[in-house]
Amino acid sequence: AQSVTQLDSQVPVFEEAPVELRCNYSSSVSVYLFWYVQYPNQGLQLLLKYLSGSTLVKGINGFEAEFNKSQTSFHLRKPSVHISDTAEYFCAVSVGQGGKLIFGQGTELSVKP
Amino acid sequence: GAVVSQHPSRVICKSGTSVKIECRSLDFQATTMFWYRQFPKQSLMLMATSNEGSKATYEQGVEKDKFLINHASLTLSTLTVTSAHPEDSSFYICSARDSGFANYGYTFGSGTRLTVV
């Protein structure tokens, strides 16, 4: 069975600094990978996804992620964060087009002035 | 882009009553919808997969008779929490899958905060 591990539960960072949120997955078959952001008391908003093709995926709000099959990772990066990026970030994986979405534990990004 | 509407956003009910939550895909057909439960400061836990025109598939440990799911059309799935108790208080989120490859993804509703008193 597939699983997702987000290695950091909390990431504090200063405004305009770069950030990386780490995500590793385990699966014996090909997967689709996603990053979502959740603001308090709201649903999830898709930041980016990897289905196939280029391993570097660019998303909304200046975020990007790189799919690394050999390391089974899909880390999320942003070169310069803003206060408004403070939120919970979830990495998720689905197996094939028929698969359900499995989430990591979440990473709380806290951007300080 | 794909939009999923979830209602109500907040509901307070008395212990022992039932509550229905609706999830609608507004601009695409969703043959499959998912229902999640989220506790404070925790991740989303998949409760069940809802397939249009057939019975829902529940995850292990989720009570089918307590959490009734109906997916009667390609754009609407409902979750009914029956005989609610305080321990059912939680944040419930639905998701609809767009299966077209170019748009493949999962769109989430805005969630429902259920409080049982």
Side-chain angles (χ1 to χ4, degrees), chain A residues 51-107:
Chain A
L51 304 182
S52 65
S54 173
T55 57
L56 182 62
V57 180
K58 292 190 182 297
I60 63 171
N61 300 342
F63 284 95
E64 64 180 32
E66 185 155 18
F67 170 59
N68 188 318
K69 188 174 182 179
S70 62
Q71 297 187 8
T72 60
S73 67
F74 191 55
H75 301 333
L76 181 71
R77 301 186 184 97
K78 185 169 183 178
S80 177
V81 294
H82 302 291
I83 299 288
S84 59
D85 292 323
T86 295
E88 191 82 19
Y89 291 80
F90 291 98
C91 180
V93 61
S94 72
V95 177
Q97 290 201 27
K100 54 192 177 185
L101 200 58
I102 303 300
F103 285 88
Q105 302 91 327
T107 297

Side-chain angles (χ1 to χ4, degrees), chain A residues 32 34 36 38 41-46 49 51-52 88 90 94-106 108, chain B residues 10 34 36 38 41-44 46 49 59 91 93 95 97 99-111 113:
Chain A
Y32 297 160
F34 304 81
Y36 288 89
Q38 184 181 33
N41 294 310
Q42 294 187 28
L44 274 66
Q45 180 183 11
L46 179 68
K49 61 186 176 185
L51 304 182
S52 65
E88 191 82 19
F90 291 98
S94 72
V95 177
Q97 290 201 27
K100 54 192 177 185
L101 200 58
I102 303 300
F103 285 88
Q105 302 91 327
E108 182 182 357
Chain B
R10 292 178 180 271
F34 305 88
Y36 293 85
Q38 186 180 32
K41 299 293 186 181
Q42 294 190 24
S43 187
L44 282 75
L46 180 65
T49 302
E59 296 298 304
F91 193 57
I93 306 176
S95 172
R97 185 173 65 206
S99 297
F101 187 78
N103 297 321
Y104 185 80
Y106 303 77
T107 302
F108 287 80
S110 55
R113 173 74 61 192

